Amino acid sequence: MAGRSTPVRTCVGCRVKAPRDELLRLVLVEVEGARTVVPDPRGRLPGRGASLHPDPGCLELAERRRAFPRAFRLQGPLDATPVRRALEARAAGGQDQQHPHDQQHRHDQQHQHDDHDQHRPPSEAGREA
């Protein structure tokens, strides 16, 4: 549809804005009396949500900054173990876990490398630098 833009959210870890589909939605649930942060990849669980890049580094930043209680407007510590397990399982599944900004950096480096190859003699263009 022309004119529609992708909703943008802010990652509670790195505090960088990104399209909603690049972020993992998190919600707060109560499990056996403890408040726990859980992933909501389909975005269907009820309640206030928070967004996080599906990257362990962003999770560590969010925990270090104590961002989850602020995001969910609650006081006290919140358990993010289910989020950590989900990110570890995703990494073990072989999916690319690099932060989107790292992917852009790699993309930019590839274009610089391609530009450099265009100026080499054909016999050297395929070789690694």
Side-chain angles (χ1 to χ4, degrees):
M1 291 182 189
R4 279 190 103 166
S5 62
T6 303
V8 175
R9 303 283 188 262
T10 301
C11 173
V12 296
C14 65
R15 301 175 75 182
V16 172
K17 291 185 180 189
R20 183 176 61 189
D21 57 353
E22 290 180 12
L23 299 170
L24 177 62
R25 182 174 188 260
L26 308 173
V27 295
L28 192 65
V29 297
E30 193 158 326
V31 178
E32 298 177 8
R35 295 177 294 192
T36 305
V37 181
V38 297
D40 181 18
R42 294 185 182 165
R44 295 205 167 90
L45 293 176
R48 182 174 183 81
S51 299
L52 182 79
H53 283 108
D55 177 89
C58 281
L59 176 59
E60 289 174 26
L61 280 170
E63 290 178 321
R64 189 173 28 203
R65 292 181 45 249
R66 298 182 191 111
F68 291 129
R70 280 193 304 277
F72 293 113
R73 297 182 181 171
L74 295 171
Q75 292 182 358
L78 300 174
D79 181 20
T81 302
V83 177
R84 184 176 320 315
R85 288 184 185 147
L87 295 180
E88 288 169 356
R90 185 176 175 148
Q95 295 181 8
D96 189 6
Q97 286 299 300
Q98 291 190 347
H99 196 281
H101 305 297
D102 295 339
Q103 292 174 358
Q104 181 63 42
H105 179 67
R106 188 176 64 231
H107 177 75
D108 293 343
Q109 284 181 328
Q110 180 62 41
H111 281 293
Q112 289 173 355
H113 183 66
D114 291 344
D115 292 342
H116 185 68
D117 282 347
Q118 291 176 2
H119 300 291
R120 289 186 187 180
S123 62
E124 294 181 353
R127 294 184 194 166
E128 290 291 323

